[in-house]
């Protein structure tokens, strides 16, 4: 049987089997609606309380803060931006949002939509290290700034942004601060109090929880017009019947992810670095971003002379799943936006392949990947018109 | 939008088998050198198109004999699977042709040759630019061989500098593929995919030509040509009622009524007028009329007279006509 090696964990992750086994009874046995008064509803409450405890503990939220369950981080991100629009911008109080030009489309596309409604948005560009400095944020804040929304870690490069410093600046300036922590949870410690965030989004399927469930942390006292109006679920903040098994799964996945943080930052980090070191032995290969400032699982690697999708094609044939933001693999034609933003080498913008590991990857898999990579590079550089070394 | 479009990520599934096979094992991959040319007493042509920074680049090698026939050809490509497959097919289509004929190969010929069956596209729409690039490199090579400045040969006004797409290519692609939006132009040619300055005024760089204007001009030309063709067909009596413009339809209905119906109605002190003509969703052409004079309130206005009017119009103009008195 052909090998199947999954190295696209920044896109989604495998559901941890132990998370699944905790979820299972809540599909067919304990299926009551937790808002019901009868036993079918109330018997679920202990498990739900337990799940919420794990989520609160997981990001160090205070008891008085809210963690509202959403369908995914995209919903959470939309909610923050549109909620701020309704609360501060549509009412004429403020009219400015600061974000970066390397955010997930759930932020980028929503900001562009809000611009059509008259909102002013500043898109900070990452510097040549692929990062955003707190100073940049400070300089962009004006009297009119309602919200700063900056991701905790970048999905493409894995680079960690200085969220604590940015949080301190926003607090000092009295500006709301949101962070999309989708790529940070389960990879590095995430502490909402230490980082001074008002809103924080995450998604369960990025840390071995189920797909289709996420959450939004809302600091105590922060108003946010609901995105969904309806019944009184979650005290009216987000209506819709609770997705009980998935909430239980997300809580457990969060607990396990945090218990594996040391493993991620030692064993997985070593595995990632080993992979990188071996691939860097291939001539004309570049890895984006300093290791010291990256989450432990991610490598964005550029192989001169080989278009990203062509590389993915060969890897896929060998059973290895990676990803590329390069032109031809995605459904639009843009080059990898982070590579473009870094601006270090325009020639490399279409050659990036993202490899993202998880705690389920093994040394054997990485050895096989290195072997396949080398063969693919050799084959594709023979085809390449732009890699003269192949001639 | 269709049901299947709601699930993303099926890009590779939309490639034909031929595309996959050529991606895995390109048959015309390689390099031709001056030594190869000398051995065969041929002229070596090496043409480059695209750039790595744009995501696609191709190099085409030709050996052309004294009769202008391409006796050998190879390629190298920086690009995705479809770019490699298109380049490979493009080389195959060139082989054995005279340069003057090879230059007539279009992106559509390349894409069609890559199809597994004639009705299913070989690549999804957003990948069409790869075959367009194959087409451009042939023009470049032919320009080099014929001793013309490539720019003169291609009538080059570059609209999109990033993807290096010319005005003539954009116009031709709009016409050949009946494109209606700027997004489609980008899918087919890559023009406008990068810095976006060439899409419309107001980008970071001022341009002489913008895609929105080119599209509007070419569409206007296409429409005006259609109209001219329409009128000439009408004059020759070749135009069907369904293909007429609204003005032509009203005139035709009026004429048929004047000649065949109105005299009959007027004899009884009545008349009628056309209020509107619409294409109904069930495939009929609905003609709304109003009776006047004695026809108003006449018992046969909704039976015999109506059937007579409908019958005449169906016979003279189109069997799909329905007449609806208001």
């Amino acid at each position: 049987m052909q090998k199947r090696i999954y190295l696209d964990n920044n896109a989604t992750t495998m559901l941890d089997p132990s998370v699944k086994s905790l979820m299972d009874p809540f599909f067919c046995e304990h299926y009551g609606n937790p808002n019901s008064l009868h036993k079918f509803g109330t018997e679920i409450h202990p498990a739900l309380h337990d799940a919420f405890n794990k989520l609160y503990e997981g990001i160090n939220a205070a008891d008085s803060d809210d963690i509202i369950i959403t369908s995914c981080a995209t919903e959470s991100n939309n909610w923050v931006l549109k909620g701020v629009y309704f609360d501060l911008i549509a009412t004429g109080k403020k009219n400015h949002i600061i974000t970066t030009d390397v955010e997930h489309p759930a932020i980028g596309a929503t900001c562009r939509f809000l611009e059509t409604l008259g909102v002013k948005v500043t898109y900070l560009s990452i510097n040549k290290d692929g990062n955003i400095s707190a100073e940049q944020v400070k300089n962009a804040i004006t009297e009119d700034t309602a919200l700063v929304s900056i991701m905790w870690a970048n999905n493409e490069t894995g680079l960690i942004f200085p969220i604590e410093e940015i949080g301190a600046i926003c607090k000092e300036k009295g500006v709301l601060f949101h962070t999309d922590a989708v790529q940070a949870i389960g990879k590095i410690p995430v502490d909402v109090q230490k980082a001074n965030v008002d809103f924080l989004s995450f998604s369960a399927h990025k840390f071995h929880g189920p797909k289709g469930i996420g959450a939004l942390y809302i600091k105590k006292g922060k108003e946010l017009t609901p995105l969904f109006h309806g019944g009184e679920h979650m005290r009216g903040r987000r209506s819709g019947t609770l997705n009980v098994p998935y909430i239980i799964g997300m809580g457990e996945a969060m607990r396990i992810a945090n218990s594996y943080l040391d493993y991620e930052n030692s064993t997985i980090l070593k595995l990632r670095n080993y992979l990188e070191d071996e691939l860097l032995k291939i001539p004309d290969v570049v890895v984006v971003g300093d290791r010291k400032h990256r989450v432990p699982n991610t490598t964005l690697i550029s192989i001169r002379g080989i278009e990203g999708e062509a590389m993915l094609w060969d890897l896929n044939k060998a059973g290895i799943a990676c990803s590329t933001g390069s032109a031809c693999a995605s459904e639009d034609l843009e080059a990898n936006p982070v590579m473009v933003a870094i601006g270090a080498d325009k020639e490399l913008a279409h050659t990036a392949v993202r490899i993202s590991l998880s705690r389920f990857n093994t040394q054997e898999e990485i050895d096989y990947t290195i072997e396949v990579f080398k063969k693919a590079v050799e084959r594709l550089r023979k085809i390449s018109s732009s890699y003269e070394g192949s001639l | 939008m269709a049901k299947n479009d709601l699930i993303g990520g099926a890009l590779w599934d939309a490639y034909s088998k031929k595309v996959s096979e050529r991606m895995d094992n390109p048959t015309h991959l390689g390099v031709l050198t001056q030594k190869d040319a000398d051995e065969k007493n041929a002229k070596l042509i090496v043409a480059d198109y695209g750039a790595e920074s744009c995501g696609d680049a191709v190099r085409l090698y030709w050996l052309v004999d004294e009769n202008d026939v391409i006796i050998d050809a190879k390629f190298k490509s920086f690009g995705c699977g479809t770019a490699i497959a298109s380049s490979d097919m493009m080389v195959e289509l060139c082989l054995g042709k005279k340069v003057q004929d090879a230059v007539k190969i279009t992106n559509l010929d390349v894409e069609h040759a890559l199809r597994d069956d004639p009705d299913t596209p070989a690549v999804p729409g957003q990948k069409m630019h790869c075959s367009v690039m194959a087409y451009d490199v042939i023009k470049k090579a032919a320009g080099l061989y014929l001793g013309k400045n490539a720019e003169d040969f291609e009538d080059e006004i570059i609209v999109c500098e990033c993807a290096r797409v010319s005005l003539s290519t954009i116009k031709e692609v709009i016409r050949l593929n009946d494109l209606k939006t700027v997004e489609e132009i980008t899918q087919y040619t890559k023009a406008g995919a990068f810095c976006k300055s060439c899409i419309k005024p107001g980008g970071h760089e001022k341009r002489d030509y913008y895609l929105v204007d080119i599209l509007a001009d070419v569409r206007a030309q296409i429409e005006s040509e259609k109209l001219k063709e329409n009128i000439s067909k009408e004059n020759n009596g070749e135009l069907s009622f369904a293909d007429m413009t609204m003005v032509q339809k009203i005139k035709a209905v009026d004429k048929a009524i004047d000649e065949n119906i109105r005299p009959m109605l007027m004899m009884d002190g009545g008349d009628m007028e056309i209020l509107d003509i619409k294409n109904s969703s069930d495939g009929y052409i609905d003609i709304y009329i109003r009776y006047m004079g004695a026809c108003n309130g006449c018992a046969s206005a909704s039976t015999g007279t109506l059937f007579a009017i409908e019958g005449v119009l169906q016979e003279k103009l189109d069997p799909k006509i329905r007449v609806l008195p208001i």
Side-chain angles (χ1 to χ4, degrees):
Chain A
M1 199 178 127
Q2 201 200 16
K3 281 182 196 283
R4 269 166 64 85
I5 296 177
Y6 188 75
L7 296 172
D8 195 14
N9 287 281
N10 285 10
T12 196
T13 56
M14 180 182 98
L15 180 69
D16 187 320
S18 67
V19 170
K20 181 181 174 290
S21 62
L22 203 69
M23 291 166 68
D24 279 343
F26 295 91
F27 287 103
C28 297
E29 285 170 59
H30 309 299
Y31 52 82
N33 184 335
N35 275 32
S36 301
L37 297 176
H38 51 63
K39 202 176 171 204
F40 282 78
T42 54
E43 71 184 7
I44 289 157
H45 289 186
L48 271 182
H49 282 303
D50 187 40
F52 275 95
N53 285 341
K54 290 169 185 167
L55 295 176
Y56 273 69
E57 200 178 309
I59 59 170
N60 194 28
D63 185 41
S64 50
D65 298 332
D66 285 340
I67 294 181
I68 308 293
I69 307 300
T70 60
S71 58
C72 56
T74 291
E75 183 191 323
S76 305
N77 289 340
N78 266 267
W79 184 9
V80 173
L81 293 170
K82 290 172 185 170
V84 165
Y85 171 78
F86 283 119
D87 295 330
L88 290 170
I89 297 169
T91 55
K93 289 176 193 156
K94 306 224 169 167
N95 192 28
H96 181 222
I97 290 173
I98 297 169
T99 186
T100 74
D101 57 9
V102 292
E103 297 293 315
H104 187 276
I107 294 289
T110 311
C111 281
R112 284 192 291 280
F113 166 69
L114 291 178
E115 283 181 296
T116 67
L117 301 178
V119 178
K120 299 254 183 308
V121 182
T122 300
Y123 300 91
L124 299 175
S125 295
I126 50 177
N127 55 33
K128 62 177 175 36
D129 299 325
N131 216 314
I132 293 283
S133 73
E135 195 66 19
Q136 279 174 278
V137 178
K138 193 175 182 178
N139 293 338
I141 293 176
T142 69
E143 289 284 299
D144 219 17
T145 306
L147 176 78
V148 170
S149 176
I150 292 177
M151 65 200 331
W152 199 305
N154 183 262
N155 47 324
E156 296 280 352
T157 57
L159 282 163
I160 302 162
F161 290 172
I163 292 305
E164 283 180 29
E165 287 174 56
I166 296 169
I169 286 165
C170 291
K171 192 180 178 192
E172 182 196 319
K173 298 267 186 183
V175 174
L176 290 171
F177 178 42
H178 165 246
T179 185
D180 175 355
V182 157
Q183 298 292 348
I185 288 176
K187 295 168 190 166
I188 50 171
V190 169
D191 183 328
V192 288
Q193 301 194 44
K194 214 167 149 191
N196 269 311
V197 301
D198 296 301
F199 309 109
L200 176 139
S201 311
F202 60 88
S203 212
H205 75 105
K206 302 283 191 188
F207 49 88
H208 303 289
K211 290 173 186 61
I213 189 135
L216 177 65
Y217 160 83
I218 305 174
K219 195 184 180 76
K220 181 193 173 187
K222 300 296 171 185
E223 291 306 317
L224 211 51
T225 299
L227 209 53
F228 297 172
H229 293 86
E232 278 303 299
H233 306 91
M234 307 236 180
R235 297 276 173 246
R237 296 201 94 155
R238 200 270 190 186
S239 292
T241 301
L242 297 189
N243 189 347
V244 174
Y246 281 53
I247 296 171
I248 287 162
M250 179 159 66
E252 179 66 358
M254 173 79 91
R255 185 192 68 74
I256 299 174
N258 278 325
S259 75
Y260 269 94
L261 275 183
D262 285 344
Y263 182 82
E264 289 276 347
N265 286 282
S266 54
T267 309
I268 297 302
L269 179 77
K270 271 188 206 151
L271 207 53
R272 193 272 315 265
N273 289 350
Y274 164 69
L275 169 71
E276 248 177 52
D277 290 340
E278 287 300 310
L279 297 184
L280 282 167
K281 288 179 188 166
I282 303 170
D284 296 315
V285 163
V286 178
V287 168
V288 178
D290 193 320
R291 276 181 193 174
K292 274 183 270 176
H293 301 113
R294 259 191 284 150
V295 289
N297 78 319
T298 310
T299 293
L300 183 64
I301 191 162
S302 172
I303 306 132
R304 187 173 286 279
I306 300 176
E307 200 275 335
E309 187 202 332
M311 192 66 202
L312 285 198
W313 178 282
D314 275 28
L315 293 174
N316 185 53
K317 277 187 91 76
I320 298 170
C322 293
S323 91
T324 174
S326 99
C328 281
S330 57
E331 293 196 2
D332 59 44
L333 302 163
E334 299 281 352
N336 182 308
V338 177
M339 299 289 278
V340 172
I342 290 171
D345 191 344
K346 201 180 164 199
E347 295 291 309
L348 295 180
H350 291 271
T351 62
V353 172
R354 182 183 72 187
I355 310 170
S356 46
L357 285 66
S358 84
R359 62 176 187 260
F360 292 98
N361 290 123
T362 63
Q363 177 74 43
E364 189 202 348
E365 288 180 333
I366 297 303
D367 282 330
Y368 174 72
T369 302
I370 293 161
E371 192 187 312
V372 169
F373 238 88
K374 287 180 176 166
K375 278 187 196 151
V377 170
E378 197 182 337
R379 180 181 103 86
L380 293 167
R381 278 189 174 160
K382 271 188 195 150
I383 296 176
S384 179
S385 60
S386 66
Y387 192 73
E388 297 301 331
S390 67
L391 295 177
Chain B
M1 187 75 71
K3 191 166 58 178
N4 289 340
D5 298 333
L6 294 174
I7 301 169
L11 199 67
W12 287 349
D13 290 346
Y15 293 0
S16 70
K17 279 204 188 76
K18 283 184 189 164
V19 167
S20 303
E21 282 159 11
R22 283 176 189 265
M23 166 59 184
D24 290 338
N25 292 301
T27 39
H28 303 290
L29 169 68
V31 176
L32 292 169
T33 61
Q34 191 54 50
K35 192 169 161 252
D36 298 322
D38 294 344
E39 278 171 13
K40 293 184 178 171
N41 199 20
K43 192 174 175 187
L44 173 71
I45 298 291
V46 184
D48 279 301
Y49 197 85
E52 189 170 337
S53 57
C54 299
D56 282 314
V58 60
R59 179 173 300 154
L60 175 62
Y61 300 87
W62 276 352
L63 294 187
V64 186
D65 74 7
E66 58 202 6
N67 300 318
D68 300 342
V69 174
I70 302 158
I71 54 168
D72 201 356
K74 300 268 183 208
F75 81 99
K76 286 235 165 189
S77 162
F78 169 88
C80 61
T82 58
I84 292 168
S86 299
S87 302
D88 198 42
M89 181 53 84
M90 172 265 296
V91 169
E92 194 158 307
L93 294 179
C94 290
L95 276 168
K97 282 200 172 70
K98 288 187 92 166
V99 172
Q100 292 82 349
D101 292 326
V103 83
K104 292 176 194 155
I105 297 168
T106 70
N107 63 314
L108 294 178
D109 296 327
V110 173
E111 191 270 322
H112 273 265
L114 285 166
R115 292 183 179 197
D116 291 335
D117 75 84
D119 299 327
T120 312
V123 293
Q126 69 264 38
K127 291 294 196 169
M128 278 303 295
H129 65 87
C130 302
S131 60
V132 171
M133 196 179 63
Y135 158 64
D136 281 321
V137 78
I138 293 176
K139 289 205 283 186
K140 190 86 176 271
L144 288 171
Y145 176 74
L146 296 170
K148 290 187 183 181
N149 185 334
E151 285 173 12
D152 298 340
F153 180 81
E154 293 179 273
D155 181 31
E156 289 302 279
I157 295 168
I158 299 293
V159 175
C160 175
E161 292 286 356
C162 306
R164 288 162 60 186
V165 186
S166 70
L167 182 60
S168 55
T169 298
I170 292 171
K171 285 185 171 177
E172 202 168 345
V173 167
I174 294 173
R175 279 179 175 278
L176 276 172
N177 302 286
D178 195 24
L179 305 185
K180 296 190 175 67
T181 64
V182 169
E183 290 73 24
E184 285 176 326
I185 299 177
T186 305
Q187 279 182 0
Y188 276 71
T189 66
K190 271 193 137 175
F194 302 100
C195 76
K196 302 190 190 321
S197 288
C198 64
I199 293 180
K200 59 182 177 190
H204 70 268
E205 194 185 331
K206 196 170 173 295
R207 310 282 311 160
D208 292 333
Y209 291 88
Y210 293 101
L211 297 182
V212 284
D213 301 329
I214 300 168
L215 181 66
D217 287 350
V218 176
R219 291 302 321 172
Q221 278 172 20
I222 294 172
E223 293 307 323
S224 125
E225 283 158 18
K226 267 190 198 162
L227 197 62
K228 272 187 200 157
E229 193 189 332
N230 201 314
I231 288 164
S232 114
K233 271 190 181 171
E234 189 191 15
N235 291 340
N236 300 334
E238 292 165 0
L239 188 65
S240 75
F241 185 71
D243 289 336
M244 288 179 182
T245 65
M246 190 50 76
V247 174
Q248 288 171 326
K249 278 181 184 161
I250 292 170
K251 280 185 185 164
V253 173
D254 243 347
K255 187 164 176 268
I257 288 171
D258 266 348
E259 287 173 2
N260 303 286
I261 298 164
R262 191 159 275 128
M264 184 177 79
L265 299 180
M266 288 178 90
M267 274 200 306
D268 293 329
D271 200 357
M272 58 165 286
E273 63 175 346
I274 310 158
L275 297 177
D276 204 356
I277 300 175
K278 283 184 175 165
N279 290 323
S280 75
S281 56
D282 51 0
Y284 286 92
I285 303 163
D286 289 337
I287 300 180
Y288 293 87
I289 61 158
R290 180 163 62 192
Y291 286 117
M292 297 191 302
C295 290
N296 233 337
C298 169
S300 67
S302 58
T303 54
T305 307
L306 179 64
F307 300 146
I309 297 170
E310 205 167 57
V312 167
L313 293 178
Q314 283 173 349
E315 189 202 323
K316 299 277 175 199
L317 301 173
D318 194 309
K320 287 264 180 196
I321 284 176
R322 272 192 311 216
V323 178
L324 304 163
I326 297 216

